[in-house]
Amino acid sequence: MSSRRRFYARPLLATAASIVVLTGVAAAAPAATPAAASASADRSPQAVALDDTYYQDALGKTGAALKSSLHSIISEQTTLTYSQVWDALKETDEDPVNSSNVILLYTGRSQAKSENGGNTGDWNREHVWAKSHGDFGTSTGPGTDIHHLRPEDVQVNSVRGNKDFDNGGSAVSGAPGNYTDSDSFEPRDAVKGDVARMILYMAVRYEGDDSFADLEPNDSVSNGSAPNIGRLSVLKEWSQQDPPDSFEKNRNEVIFDQFQHNRNPFIDHPEWVDEIW
């Protein structure tokens, strides 16, 4: 293979953040390292409030303990049917400069929300964790989890198919910046991190303790129908190269506030990728 180079703060969360500040708990915390202090300074009050509430049971953990704790947290969610996904994506992926459109994941094209379907030129529902990897189809659960479902051009969705993710390949027609070969797909630079964090969310959310397979990333690009997607080493690089942007963060909020009421922890805490893998 060739290689190429509206945050919505719930009242509970806002209140929790206020209590922390007013009681001086933050001032009493142990001194942080320079890197940690810098990261903390960059975090919004809402993000701090999430640590005090939503993520409180995960803080301070690493490795398997962190993964297990996050699994428990994000498994508390509302589920959607596959038909409900259409309307959800029209909200989660709305074009911030044109509320009548959605932004397609791989092409980056802004397209009318009404142009969804299965015909050439339409947009449809892309399973970033390919639904054949674990054979969950479109059943309510992983098959309808909008943390990894995104609007995409019908033909480009077909080109990606169920391929794993890796660098390299030939340019994808109609989708500048995307590349593919016989066993892998490389998305455009602006969404490489998005793809990585969606895959890793799925690996934490679906651990085999329900009626679905235990989904895990690995370093292979020949996973077939096994409940795995690779390459993990490349996904980790992509997550670092392309940190969460405003669109991805807003999407996380809309899913949390309006639809599933759970979060992708790797958008809120990108550093947790290396803590687990």
Side-chain angles (χ1 to χ4, degrees):
M1 178 176 301
S2 61
S3 291
R4 318 180 323 103
R5 52 133 215 73
R6 179 173 97 138
F7 201 96
Y8 173 88
R10 292 183 173 182
L12 174 62
L13 300 182
T15 301
S18 300
I19 292 172
V20 170
V21 172
L22 291 174
T23 56
V25 172
T33 64
S38 176
S40 178
D42 291 339
R43 305 191 70 218
S44 68
Q46 294 93 332
V48 173
L50 284 168
D51 280 357
D52 291 335
T53 52
Y54 190 73
Y55 291 124
Q56 59 180 336
D57 291 339
L59 298 182
K61 296 177 181 177
T62 60
L66 175 59
K67 188 182 182 196
S68 177
S69 182
L70 291 176
H71 171 69
S72 296
I73 293 167
I74 67 178
S75 293
E76 295 293 327
Q77 71 176 94
T78 298
T79 57
L80 305 179
T81 66
Y82 198 45
S83 61
Q84 289 175 322
V85 168
W86 284 121
D87 288 333
L89 295 184
K90 293 175 183 179
E91 299 299 320
T92 59
D93 292 74
E94 181 177 286
D95 184 341
V97 299
N98 184 347
S99 62
S100 296
N101 287 12
V102 291
I103 300 294
L104 309 191
L105 176 64
Y106 301 133
T107 65
R109 185 172 76 235
S110 178
Q111 184 160 350
K113 293 178 178 179
S114 60
E115 295 176 353
N116 62 300
N119 297 321
T120 299
D122 287 345
W123 64 268
N124 61 3
R125 296 160 292 187
E126 153 76 336
H127 288 82
V128 177
W129 184 293
K131 57 184 180 288
S132 64
H133 289 236
D135 194 29
F136 53 75
T138 58
S139 300
T140 298
T144 65
D145 194 316
I146 55 177
H147 275 294
H148 86 116
L149 278 157
R150 301 293 293 267
E152 189 45 62
D153 176 87
V154 167
Q155 290 174 291
V156 176
N157 192 345
S158 179
V159 170
R160 189 270 158 134
N162 68 349
K163 295 173 182 174
D164 293 87
F165 293 103
D166 198 1
N167 293 311
S170 302
V172 176
S173 177
N178 296 263
Y179 299 84
T180 193
D181 58 20
S182 62
D183 57 14
S184 70
F185 188 89
E186 176 186 353
R188 60 193 176 101
D189 289 347
V191 296
K192 279 183 165 68
D194 306 51
V195 166
R197 287 180 284 275
M198 285 185 280
I199 292 296
L200 299 178
Y201 160 86
M202 293 291 283
V204 172
R205 171 59 187 88
Y206 299 99
E207 291 277 49
D209 53 0
D210 47 27
S211 60
F212 301 105
D214 179 5
L215 305 182
E216 293 295 338
N218 63 17
D219 227 34
S220 172
V221 289
S222 57
N223 284 298
S225 62
N228 309 107
I229 279 185
R231 294 184 183 270
L232 176 58
S233 58
V234 172
L235 293 170
K236 290 176 63 178
E237 291 175 0
W238 289 356
S239 183
Q240 292 180 346
Q241 293 166 4
D242 173 38
D245 60 16
S246 60
F247 188 90
E248 188 181 3
K249 291 176 181 178
N250 181 71
R251 191 174 194 280
N252 202 24
E253 296 307 325
V254 174
I255 294 172
F256 182 54
D257 297 331
Q258 299 182 30
F259 296 104
Q260 293 185 180
H261 311 299
N262 70 340
R263 305 182 69 84
N264 182 332
F266 304 112
I267 297 174
D268 296 319
H269 281 276
E271 73 277 7
W272 281 345
V273 171
D274 285 335
E275 293 290 348
I276 295 175
W277 289 282

